[in-house]
Amino acid sequence: MGSLFQAALTYASSGTSRFHMPGHKGVGLPYPGFGDIARLDLTEIAGLDSLYTADGVIREAERAYAELYGARDSFLSAGGSTLCIQAMLALALSPGDTLLITRGAHVAAVNSMALLDLHPEWILPDTDHETGLSLPVTPQQVAKGLEAHPQARAVYITSPTFFGAMADIQEIARVCKGFSVPLLVDNAHGAHLSFFSPNRHPMAQGADFCCDSLHKTLPVLTGGALLHMSRGDCEGRAREKLSLFGSTSPSYLIMCSMDGALDYLRTPKAGEEMREAAARLADIKQKARAIGYLISKGEGDPIRLTLSAVPLGYTGEQLGEYLRGQKIEPEYAAGGYCVLMAGPFNSREDFGRLEQALETLPARQPIQKRQLELTLPERVLSVREAVFAPRTTLPVEDVVGKVAGSLVAPCPPGIALVSAGELIDEQTARLLKNYGISQVNVLKW
């Protein structure tokens, strides 16, 4: 028995409340067949279809998901939303094209731009000065960006963000249509949004392309994702782009879990349980805010809790340590924040444990945190040129005047402080230090 397996078994038997992905929360998958999981670890044999030329049972599952989410066409991915992001960028753009993209894009999008030789024009979101968290990109910012960069061939936004901020996709889609450019949405953290009223899923709000990481919030094995399209006449091209980046040995365990989940997701029970989980979390949010935790007041992801205990004297790391002592594992705990992801497969005991932990956190002297304004550094090289150039790692004290070789963010899905190909000036170096970044990949010259 390997160390990883042993560690997983130890954690699974610890009784910890799992406020993190995947969505099945370790309770079990709500469909039969996974008792002896190895039985379903199969390959492209007769009767099981083939992912990149699907015309049988896999294609049936894809059509069912398209109907579930209101897309013209949908495609399974066993490579997470990363594969979907790569494919939708390749579908919407050609090498050398420019896209208007929000600064909070996941590192997978930046890596895809390097592979495809795409050129970003960034939208820097505003900041909520009470919480220090980035606000969602607005339709006005998108319109302004498209006016300033008429060469942009597409718009790419992330909604919900890792911290739960949600953009007005319907209005942004209208702006994009007015400029005759497609809207691509990284909805990796929002596969559950179709279960609420109104339906906030990007495909219901007018997006042209969208990716969902089913495993993040729904009862699907890690790596299960979907690529959605508003057009139904591009199946061949979509499969071509997916196969360009995807493994030639996609996991049938992952695909079987996506297929099996349909039986649950298409029932009224799925929506009822999702809304019930959201209601429980909303009650906890209200109580936490009354205690003194900082929680964003805007409309956000209904099953995600992003909170700061800085007013109560705790950094994000310290709050995470405290929660672990209460047998609660958050999705993220760093800087000033903790992120907890809930869902239908969190038990009443889980929610009760979280509520009690937040209520009994001993208050201390508030922490005074100095916020620095985020800026957009000067870009001196393309993303592709920087990513493939010779690089070295330097202490943050020695990087002023250097060119970044990769994206640097406080956490992988956060707002980039600097991205590949950008010049690190004194203000950027101060930001890096302020967010606890100690080393940076920079170009050697």
Side-chain angles (χ1 to χ4, degrees):
M1 184 180 296
S3 298
L4 176 60
F5 194 15
Q6 181 60 61
L9 287 176
T10 300
Y11 181 77
S13 61
S14 68
T16 298
S17 295
R18 302 188 188 189
F19 282 90
H20 56 83
M21 53 186 161
H24 56 71
K25 306 298 181 182
V27 177
L29 302 171
Y31 37 88
F34 276 74
D36 181 7
I37 199 166
R39 290 190 301 112
L40 298 178
D41 191 17
L42 302 168
T43 190
E44 293 91 342
I45 57 178
L48 288 187
D49 213 351
S50 179
L51 181 59
Y52 303 123
T53 57
D55 60 1
V57 290
I58 291 176
R59 190 59 178 149
E60 289 177 17
E62 291 175 337
R63 291 192 179 106
Y65 270 113
E67 182 179 358
L68 180 67
Y69 282 105
R72 289 290 299 277
D73 215 340
S74 299
F75 303 91
L76 300 189
S77 164
S81 279
T82 294
L83 174 56
C84 300
I85 288 169
Q86 293 165 334
M88 69 181 181
L89 284 171
L91 281 164
L93 297 150
S94 299
D97 281 351
T98 296
L99 72 158
L100 189 66
I101 181 169
T102 53
R103 190 67 170 180
H106 194 275
V107 66
V110 177
N111 291 340
S112 299
M113 286 189 282
L115 294 172
L116 295 165
D117 193 20
L118 303 177
H119 305 295
E121 292 295 345
W122 297 103
I123 300 175
L124 184 61
D126 294 330
T127 299
D128 180 342
H129 291 289
E130 182 182 12
T131 64
L133 294 171
S134 292
L135 296 168
V137 64
T138 67
Q140 294 77 16
Q141 289 172 322
V142 172
K144 184 177 179 181
L146 288 171
E147 289 169 356
H149 305 288
Q151 77 278 22
R153 298 290 302 275
V155 171
Y156 182 106
I157 70 171
T158 303
S159 179
T161 67
F162 179 74
F163 296 107
M166 292 177 59
D168 186 347
I169 293 174
Q170 188 172 53
E171 286 303 315
I172 292 174
R174 288 176 182 167
V175 170
C176 291
K177 284 179 174 57
F179 284 85
S180 300
V181 296
L183 173 60
L184 288 61
V185 182
D186 176 354
N187 185 60
H189 287 272
H192 56 285
L193 294 175
S194 64
F195 294 101
F196 295 91
S197 182
N199 185 340
R200 294 292 302 275
H201 191 275
M203 298 314 295
Q205 296 288 309
D208 294 285
F209 297 88
C210 163
C211 66
D212 288 344
S213 281
L214 298 184
H215 70 93
K216 284 180 167 60
T217 57
L218 301 178
V220 166
L221 293 178
T222 297
L226 292 170
L227 170 64
H228 301 293
M229 299 170 55
S230 64
R231 294 178 58 182
D233 58 352
C234 295
E235 180 187 350
R237 289 189 63 234
R239 294 203 188 282
E240 175 189 335
K241 303 307 182 186
L242 287 164
S243 66
L244 178 65
F245 298 102
S247 170
T248 55
S249 300
S251 168
Y252 268 81
L253 288 175
I254 295 173
M255 291 190 290
C256 284
S257 77
M258 286 189 277
D259 188 46
L262 280 164
D263 288 341
Y264 169 73
L265 297 175
R266 289 186 290 191
T267 65
K269 181 181 179 182
E272 292 166 2
E273 292 183 341
M274 188 66 72
R275 292 186 290 274
E276 182 180 352
R280 289 175 178 170
L281 196 63
D283 183 58
I284 292 174
K285 287 181 183 179
Q286 183 178 9
K287 292 177 180 176
R289 189 177 285 117
I291 292 169
Y293 292 90
L294 278 180
I295 300 175
S296 181
K297 294 179 180 177
E299 183 177 9
D301 183 346
I303 62 168
R304 183 172 302 243
L305 174 58
T306 298
L307 77 168
S308 171
V310 165
L312 302 176
Y314 296 82
T315 65
E317 292 89 347
Q318 290 168 338
L319 179 58
E321 182 179 354
Y322 166 78
L323 290 174
R324 293 184 187 102
Q326 306 299 309
K327 302 193 76 173
I328 296 169
E329 182 64 39
E331 171 66 24
Y332 171 85
Y337 307 98
C338 246
V339 176
L340 299 107
M341 298 170 61
F345 296 93
N346 281 116
S347 65
R348 289 182 179 272
E349 179 186 4
D350 289 342
F351 286 104
R353 182 179 291 170
L354 175 60
E355 181 176 339
Q356 183 177 18
L358 296 179
E359 288 177 345
T360 56
L361 178 72
R364 306 192 301 204
Q365 187 69 24
I367 297 173
Q368 300 299 322
K369 289 186 71 71
R370 185 168 66 98
Q371 292 184 12
L372 296 177
E373 289 292 329
L374 297 177
T375 59
L376 285 177
E378 177 187 358
R379 184 169 66 250
V380 296
L381 289 176
S382 72
V383 176
R384 182 179 179 85
E385 288 171 326
V387 166
F388 289 104
R391 294 182 289 177
T392 188
T393 301
L394 293 179
V396 69
E397 292 80 11
D398 300 331
V399 298
V400 174
K402 301 292 185 180
V403 177
S406 60
L407 179 145
V408 183
C411 66
I415 299 294
L417 305 178
V418 66
S419 190
E422 294 177 346
L423 182 67
I424 303 174
D425 56 19
E426 292 184 0
Q427 168 67 5
T428 303
R430 283 194 294 270
L431 278 168
L432 292 166
K433 291 179 184 178
N434 185 65
Y435 280 96
I437 307 298
S438 60
Q439 294 184 317
V440 183
N441 285 327
V442 297
L443 303 195
K444 284 188 174 182
W445 50 265

